Amino acid sequence: MSPPDADRESLERRLDAVERALSADEPVDRTDELAELEGRIAELEAAVEALRGYVGSVRSVNEDVERRADRALRKAEALERTVAAGQREREEPTQAAGPTDDGAQIPLLERLRP
């Protein structure tokens, strides 16, 4: 079974290229290709460094946001505790320090009213 025409043409092109590379008539000059590859490598290295810097700044921002969120959560929880304590005080009236004539304590709000 013979290979398809496209494979045969590809094989012939490759063989021609090998023959040209090996012939003394056409010396192989790879310096241009090498310089191009070195340039591409330098560009890739620069891109990698830029990405590393970007990722580092994203991590820094994420850590800052996390710290701020933790701080906000602590403040919200403290506020909830304070509000809950205030509600309990309103539900359970506190007794004033001074006794009444019958010995009972007067609530603080009662003492402050005119």
Side-chain angles (χ1 to χ4, degrees):
M1 190 185 261
S2 65
D5 289 336
D7 289 343
R8 181 171 285 161
E9 289 175 15
S10 174
L11 184 60
E12 288 175 6
R13 280 194 313 266
R14 290 179 183 177
L15 183 57
D16 289 341
V18 169
E19 288 174 350
R20 279 193 309 269
L22 295 176
S23 73
D25 299 339
E26 249 181 77
V28 178
D29 187 21
R30 302 283 186 201
T31 56
D32 291 340
E33 291 178 17
L34 184 60
E36 181 184 341
L37 289 175
E38 287 174 346
R40 290 180 66 188
I41 289 172
E43 288 177 16
L44 288 173
E45 287 174 344
V48 167
E49 287 303 314
L51 286 172
R52 285 181 179 156
Y54 177 74
V55 168
S57 70
V58 168
R59 283 183 183 146
S60 174
V61 168
N62 283 348
E63 290 169 357
D64 183 47
V65 168
E66 186 176 346
R67 281 192 300 273
R68 291 175 68 189
D70 287 344
R71 190 178 323 126
L73 180 62
R74 285 193 304 271
K75 286 182 179 182
E77 289 172 344
L79 181 61
E80 285 177 349
R81 286 191 300 273
T82 302
V83 168
Q87 287 176 344
R88 280 194 303 271
E89 286 180 7
R90 278 184 268 143
E91 292 170 359
E92 303 169 3
T94 58
Q95 301 296 324
T100 59
D101 292 338
D102 62 356
Q105 298 287 331
I106 300 173
L108 178 61
L109 289 175
E110 297 281 328
R111 289 187 344 180
L112 295 176
R113 289 188 184 145

